[in-house]
Amino acid sequence: MTPEMQTKEEILTSALPYIQRYEGKTFVIKYGGAAMTDAALKESFAKDVTLLKKIGINVVIVHGGGNSVTDLAARLGTESRFVGGQRYTDAAMLKNVVMTLAGTVNTEVVGLINRNGGNAVGLSGIDNNLITAKKYAPKGYDLGLVGEVESVNVAFLNTLIASGIIPVIAPIGVSVSGEVYNINADIAASGIAQALGAEKLFFLSDTEGVLVDGELVPTLTNARAQQLIKQGVITGGMIPKIHAAFEALANGVQKVHLINGATNHSLLLEIFTHEGVGTQIIREEKVFGRASSLKRGSATPSQKQDLLDLTVMTKQDFEDLMHLTDVLKHTDAKPLAGKHVTLLFQKPSLRTRVSFEVGVAQLGGTSLYLSNEGVGLGEREAVSDVARVLSSYSSCIVARLFDHNMLLDLAKHSSVPVVNALTDQSHPCQILADLYTIRQHGKLLPGLKVAFIGDGNNVANSWIEMAAIYPMHLSIASPYGYAPDAATLARAQAAGISTIEVVDDPRIAADSADAIYTDVWTSMGQESEQLARRTAFKDYQINAGLTRLAHPNALIMHCLPAHRGEEITDEAIESKNSVIFDQAENRLHVQKAILATLLAPVDYDDPLLFKEGAGGGSFAASTQPPPNPRLEKAGEQEEYGQTEAAVHHS
Ligand code: CP
Ligand code: NVA
């Protein structure tokens, strides 16, 4: 392979997790600035947009007008007047705006994309009442016929999107009583992104993003943005852009990107490469649903987050974890450099122990395994004292205990994150690896049916908790007296995410299942019940007879260790549908993502994260705002009356 081919291969491979993550998601792109006027940039933009659409991303374009509105107004003798940085729009100017945006500019953008293989359709906010607007009346300003978005015809847009069309929208709105309004393109794009629940909103303009001290700020949170506005670092037309960004983030958009349209293929570079090109704006970094004040480059989380069971996770956390697992599989990032993880195990383990130890090492950290004989948790020493002592040596405690309450006690008295490596109550790390395995085999799809056959034990309880996060039909078949935890079941059923049933006939559970799962009949600690359990569970074996009832391609799953010939036959373990050893391997990959999330909760979507030179695959240091920045404004050109300032610190 030539070096050039190798580079290409590396680029394509590293893009894969991002492509998987964004398939079926919606990106709204505000198109403006030089990317609308320079011939080469126009082609690059159209190619990027077409490629995004072809790989399954729903793309919606909202365009500005470049200088076309001002040019036409000058030719027609209409005076351009600006109030507070925005174009005053009277009836004559509105005519120019409509002619330009819905006429020449819109058709040009549509033609450009279609020439490059996209299926673009041009619209203004007036078409099918796409944008219902009302007069925009910021405090103290009268901007005439300038509007803001009141509502968006989402059903119409979704119909277009579902038909493979790229909607190209001119930012003009209409009120319920028929008045037409000129809407700032950033504000229109933000409103449309909010209404569609877009994954991402891009502002493509002529600035690299937010610059501090001449350096691009790769990631900006709300708090930091407010601080930079107060300090006068963010000024001019960038301020409404930032406000439009935060409004989008507050209303469901996952992330907003400010990128420079004057760079060829800036969209693709921002989305799919490890060298991002702009500023990404995020809400606050979160760890399993809870905001963390930890920022990129910080050494330790300010507020610890445990993983004691799956109830702490949201669907978004789960999706983020799956994505992070993909990302970490493709990099040699060392987010745990300098961190130590203590494993405290009261029960035996092969997979959990080894996968945590290897995972910590691969992420650059160190670990130490302690069996309970040496510690005497709760006997030689109080749980609370063990927790305090281990917290002073470790960044994290991974504990496998009998009593779940003892785990809660350990977590309560630890100042570092505690991870449940199995208790009698639950086994969350196992189920996350199992879901990753199902996803890896292309089965994490709407309508997923999982059959759990056997004991309503810790693994079954975690399956139930998972069903309160990810929609599925979970059918659990257990003999009388061996049903899963009733409170766990009731909570998950009340969440209303999945249908969860507990039946006594394994054939009902197995019927048409996409995955058929089992675990030992006698869990660790229940050895004295082994004989009675063998009798109770004898009809609950995964064998050829039972798997025949499931979907022909149903995955056969087991968390291991297996008692071959009891809960599962050799034939089932070795069958072509068995993914049992993938489950075991995935423990490693998913637990690395769990540790990275808890101990170094950075934004793994950030393409700059793994930038070469940013600490050997580790995290780049955060950029601190200068105490008293002297500012120099540049790039005072922006379409549509917005003055956008690229901000430099000289
Ligand atoms: N599946 C599982 O947790 O295996 P170990 O008990 O070997 O860790
Ligand atoms: N239910 C089993 C799971 C082992 C990974 C046990 O607790 O022993």
Side-chain angles (χ1 to χ4, degrees):
M1 201 190 295
T2 64
E4 197 195 341
M5 279 166 78
Q6 196 172 354
T7 311
K8 279 186 184 157
E9 190 195 318
E10 274 163 20
I11 291 171
L12 290 169
T13 319
S14 64
L16 188 63
Y18 298 96
I19 294 174
Q20 284 169 335
R21 179 168 174 80
Y22 299 132
E23 190 184 356
K25 300 274 164 69
T26 300
F27 288 6
V28 175
I29 303 168
K30 185 301 190 88
Y31 179 43
M36 282 183 85
T37 47
D38 178 277
L41 292 173
K42 286 196 308 200
E43 292 297 317
S44 132
F45 169 78
K47 285 195 168 68
D48 290 2
V49 163
T50 305
L51 190 139
L52 292 177
K53 185 73 187 174
K54 300 279 181 212
I55 61 170
I57 295 169
N58 304 319
V59 183
V60 176
I61 313 284
V62 179
H63 61 80
N67 288 325
S68 313
V69 176
T70 308
D71 291 350
L72 182 69
R75 267 188 282 136
L76 297 178
T78 323
E79 190 201 349
S80 285
R81 188 152 71 83
F82 292 91
V83 179
Q86 294 217 47
R87 181 186 296 279
Y88 182 86
T89 305
D90 59 13
M93 183 56 74
L94 185 66
K95 270 194 182 150
N96 293 340
V97 165
V98 174
M99 268 194 276
T100 310
L101 295 186
T104 45
V105 176
N106 189 271
T107 45
E108 201 201 333
V109 178
V110 169
L112 178 70
I113 295 172
N114 288 343
R115 269 201 315 282
N116 280 279
N119 299 324
V121 167
L123 304 154
S124 84
I126 300 173
D127 291 286
N128 206 3
N129 295 320
L130 180 58
I131 303 176
T132 305
K134 62 178 182 193
K135 185 175 162 70
Y136 177 55
K139 249 189 265 154
Y141 295 121
D142 178 16
L143 298 168
L145 297 169
V146 170
E148 61 181 321
V149 179
E150 202 167 32
S151 65
V152 174
N153 188 343
V154 173
F156 173 50
L157 265 186
N158 280 336
T159 308
L160 295 177
I161 291 169
S163 316
I165 285 167
I166 301 174
V168 174
I169 303 167
I172 296 163
V174 61
S175 75
V176 271
S177 50
E179 284 102 350
V180 172
Y181 286 108
N182 166 18
I183 306 175
N184 168 276
D186 295 333
I187 292 171
S190 173
I192 288 169
Q194 290 169 51
L196 289 174
E199 177 78 11
K200 287 179 183 290
L201 166 63
F202 293 87
F203 291 131
L204 206 67
S205 56
D206 294 344
T207 55
E208 274 183 78
V210 175
L211 302 177
V212 173
D213 208 10
E215 294 271 320
L216 181 74
V217 179
T219 300
L220 197 57
T221 59
N222 196 354
R224 178 84 192 280
Q226 299 304 346
Q227 190 187 25
L228 292 175
I229 290 172
K230 244 190 233 150
Q231 289 175 328
V233 178
I234 295 175
T235 56
M238 190 58 96
I239 294 177
K241 244 185 233 305
I242 299 277
H243 284 309
F246 281 116
E247 202 162 333
L249 292 171
N251 290 295
V253 176
Q254 295 303 321
K255 199 172 284 185
V256 181
H257 299 255
L258 299 176
I259 53 172
N260 191 353
T263 310
N264 262 322
H265 299 296
S266 51
L267 263 173
L268 296 189
L269 292 171
E270 177 72 0
I271 300 165
F272 296 122
T273 74
H274 295 168
E275 296 93 17
V277 289
T279 296
Q280 61 168 14
I281 310 182
I282 58 175
R283 287 178 209 121
E284 297 294 336
E285 277 136 1
K286 297 230 167 145
V287 183
F288 293 157
R290 186 157 82 182
S292 160
S293 53
L294 183 81
K295 297 293 179 296
R296 276 183 68 188
S298 305
T300 353
S302 58
Q303 192 184 21
K304 71 144 179 167
Q305 174 66 55
D306 305 308
L307 180 62
L308 304 179
D309 58 37
L310 293 175
T311 57
V312 73
M313 288 182 84
T314 62
K315 184 157 180 272
Q316 185 64 48
D317 295 330
F318 165 70
E319 283 171 3
D320 288 347
L321 192 77
M322 298 292 104
H323 170 64
L324 178 53
T325 305
D326 291 337
V327 171
L328 289 176
K329 266 174 90 170
H330 288 93
T331 67
D332 67 346
K334 304 282 180 241
L336 263 55
K339 296 191 192 283
H340 177 77
V341 177
T342 299
L343 277 68
L344 178 57
F345 279 40
Q346 286 182 326
K347 302 187 189 191
S349 171
L350 174 70
R351 279 144 292 273
T352 310
R353 175 182 175 179
V354 179
S355 55
F356 265 110
E357 290 198 28
V358 172
V360 170
Q362 288 182 356
L363 295 178
T366 55
S367 64
L368 178 71
Y369 173 84
L370 296 176
S371 71
N372 195 46
E373 290 83 72
V375 178
L377 193 64
E379 288 167 2
R380 181 172 183 264
E381 198 163 359
V383 173
S384 53
D385 289 350
V386 173
R388 285 169 65 182
V389 172
L390 288 182
S391 295
S392 69
Y393 308 139
S394 327
S395 311
C396 177
I397 302 169
V398 174
R400 168 169 283 200
L401 309 181
F402 287 95
D403 180 359
H404 196 76
N405 286 327
M406 193 181 268
L407 181 81
L408 300 183
D409 205 20
L410 185 78
K412 186 174 154 197
H413 293 97
S414 300
S415 56
V416 297
V418 173
V419 176
N420 179 357
L422 180 148
T423 63
D424 290 347
Q425 167 66 25
S426 60
H427 197 5
C429 296
Q430 177 68 53
I431 303 309
L432 291 169
D434 296 337
L435 267 279
Y436 188 78
T437 309
I438 293 175
R439 175 177 175 269
Q440 176 186 40
H441 287 275
K443 303 250 180 210
L444 200 62
L445 299 171
L448 170 73
K449 180 179 178 184
V450 176
F452 183 98
I453 312 292
D455 189 20
N457 60 15
N458 41 14
V459 173
N461 290 336
S462 287
W463 262 110
I464 293 171
E465 287 182 352
M466 190 69 228
I469 300 171
Y470 188 87
M472 66 178 84
H473 178 192
L474 177 62
S475 188
I476 299 172
S478 316
Y480 181 76
Y482 294 96
D485 182 61
T488 304
L489 181 65
R491 258 197 312 274
Q493 283 173 332
I497 306 290
S498 296
T499 49
I500 311 171
E501 61 178 2
V502 179
V503 296
D504 59 6
D505 187 343
R507 290 168 304 181
I508 295 177
D511 182 34
S512 311
D514 300 297
I516 179 162
Y517 194 110
T518 193
D519 183 15
V520 289
W521 292 339
T522 305
S523 285
M524 292 177 277
Q526 298 171 333
E527 289 75 10
S528 64
E529 300 172 23
Q530 192 165 28
L531 273 179
R533 284 176 169 267
R534 274 197 186 132
T535 312
F537 285 99
K538 68 176 178 17
D539 297 328
Y540 291 77
Q541 185 188 60
I542 294 192
N543 53 33
L546 198 65
T547 52
R548 210 171 292 126
L549 303 173
H551 190 279
N553 296 323
L555 305 179
I556 295 177
M557 305 184 75
H558 192 309
C559 56
L560 297 180
H563 292 159
R564 289 170 178 254
E566 286 195 9
E567 75 277 2
I568 189 163
T569 58
D570 275 332
E571 190 192 5
I573 292 181
E574 304 304 340
S575 91
K576 67 172 179 30
N577 288 9
S578 165
V579 293
I580 291 171
F581 291 94
D582 292 340
Q583 290 173 256
E585 178 187 326
N586 287 332
R587 297 292 304 278
L588 169 69
H589 304 306
V590 175
Q591 281 157 200
K592 284 167 69 178
I594 292 171
L595 290 171
T597 303
L598 296 177
L599 303 186
V602 292
D603 182 0
Y604 283 86
D605 237 4
D606 179 355
L608 288 177
L609 189 65
F610 303 111
K611 192 178 175 182
E612 244 177 272
S618 187
F619 310 127
S622 63
T623 315
Q624 292 303 319
N628 184 15
R630 281 195 299 120
L631 305 174
E632 175 190 281
K633 292 180 191 169
E636 292 281 342
Q637 176 265 330
E638 173 61 322
E639 71 280 12
Y640 218 31
Q642 282 286 2
T643 311
E644 180 172 325
V647 183
H648 300 276
H649 175 230
S650 54

